[in-house]
Amino acid sequence: MHARLVRSAAALVVAAAGTLTWAPAASAEPSEPSPSASAAPAETPAPDSGSVEITTKDTAGEALPGAVFLLLDSAGQEAGRGTTDAQGKLIFSDLAPGVYRLKETASGSPLHEVVADQDVIVTPDATTRLTITDPFKAAKVLLQAKDDKTGKLLSGATVNIGTGTSTLLTLTTGARGTASGELPMSSRRAQFWVKEIKAPAGYDLYKPTKTFTAGPGDPVTVTVTNVKTTTDSKPKPSGKPTHTPTDAPSSSGKPNSGTEGATQSASGSDTPEPDSSTVAATPVGDSTPKMPTGALAHTGADAAPWLIGGAAVLIAGGGGALAMARRSRTDSPTDDSTES
């Protein structure tokens, strides 16, 4: 529009002057501005950031709200801190790419333990997703082995503790008759069995299987009772004689042997009588009594019967000699009268 007005004014001037003359308009301007040579170059865009998304649960698969996490950068400086929501989720956003250290400072539950620290890698324009599983706290088990009669604590008892077909813990009572350990838990409540596999010295094995129920962090006392091993008070036959056989004279004039002789010698209550065959076999005038063949020498109280028997032999021998002498004297006159 402005250019048209300038051209119309020029035409009027030419018509008035009678001469055709072109007079360019001094106020003419371009319709579009040209780029300026002094414009600054465009800035380089910053690298894209990443994020970390955390989901926290327990070994039973339940979400854990209230778990607290701390994120540290490669220089050890805090890059983020947060707490999981009702679904157990937490997001750290606008993180520069790099390696970070994730620390769980609280599980948010009295039944759970925190996990160990771990490294997290953040990449540009990406979300790193992590699932954190907090374990249940272990149950505290105290084992006792007792005498079933006196209640005395016993050392050396070994038991296995487990659930289902798995053995989770093995304990052996020490000098005080007790032992302690931690029983791993996989749920909020579980039942366990106890089986004794080695009894204390001098006691029988506790054969029944006991059961008990425990929860995370619970203190539990398990007691097994043992019965003393019964011993046979009667002596067992050894096959060897308990006494040395002793030969002693019997009423038949033959020496006894074996158990019968040992029994007679041990009793000492029967007094042996002189044997008639032994007296008849003794020569006249022999004052020394002869011991029966095979008899053993006796001492002390057992010598009295032998002394009595010897005196009887001497008396019998002396009487026999006197009788023989008298008979000889009687027979002598008869012989003399015959000869004359």
Side-chain angles (χ1 to χ4, degrees), residues 153-332:
L153 293 174
L154 306 173
S155 62
T158 302
V159 303
N160 284 340
I161 303 176
T163 180
T165 59
S166 302
T167 298
L168 303 177
L169 184 64
T170 300
L171 297 175
T172 301
T173 57
R176 297 183 178 182
T178 62
S180 60
E182 293 188 348
L183 186 62
M185 300 290 301
S186 59
S187 62
R188 295 177 181 269
R189 208 75 181 166
Q191 189 176 60
F192 302 91
W193 50 258
V194 180
K195 181 71 174 179
E196 186 176 53
I197 60 175
K198 180 179 177 297
Y203 286 83
D204 292 332
L205 191 68
Y206 184 81
K207 295 182 179 180
T209 300
K210 302 183 69 174
T211 59
F212 67 93
T213 303
D218 287 351
V220 180
T221 300
V222 178
T223 303
V224 293
T225 55
N226 292 98
V227 180
K228 279 189 175 181
T229 303
T230 57
T231 57
D232 189 3
S233 59
K234 296 181 180 180
K236 296 181 180 180
S238 60
K240 298 181 180 179
T242 57
H243 299 282
T244 303
T246 304
D247 294 334
S250 63
S251 59
S252 62
K254 297 181 181 180
N256 296 329
S257 62
T259 307
E260 182 180 356
T263 305
Q264 294 179 358
S265 175
S267 64
S269 59
D270 297 331
T271 303
E273 297 179 357
D275 193 346
S276 58
S277 62
T278 304
V279 174
T282 303
V284 178
D286 188 359
S287 61
T288 305
K290 295 183 178 180
M291 298 289 291
T293 304
L296 299 178
H298 293 270
T299 59
D302 292 340
W306 292 104
L307 293 177
I308 296 174
V313 171
L314 290 177
I315 294 173
L322 181 60
M324 292 289 291
R326 288 179 179 179
R327 184 176 180 179
S328 298
R329 289 176 183 178
T330 306
D331 294 340
S332 296

Side-chain angles (χ1 to χ4, degrees), residues 2-26:
H2 181 71
R4 289 180 179 179
L5 292 176
V6 172
R7 289 177 182 176
S8 299
L12 292 175
V13 172
V14 171
T19 305
L20 183 60
T21 304
W22 176 255

Side-chain angles (χ1 to χ4, degrees), residues 52 54-56 69-72 99-104 114-121 128-134:
V52 175
I54 298 172
T55 301
T56 308
F69 289 90
L70 176 65
L71 193 65
L72 304 176
V99 179
Y100 293 81
R101 190 71 170 172
L102 182 65
K103 301 172 67 71
E104 185 179 18
V114 299
V115 297
D117 300 350
Q118 57 184 299
D119 290 335
V120 181
I121 298 176
T128 302
R129 292 179 172 85
L130 299 175
T131 299
I132 306 297
T133 303
D134 287 343

Side-chain angles (χ1 to χ4, degrees), residues 92-109:
F92 293 106
S93 57
D94 297 329
L95 299 174
V99 179
Y100 293 81
R101 190 71 170 172
L102 182 65
K103 301 172 67 71
E104 185 179 18
T105 59
S107 66
S109 168

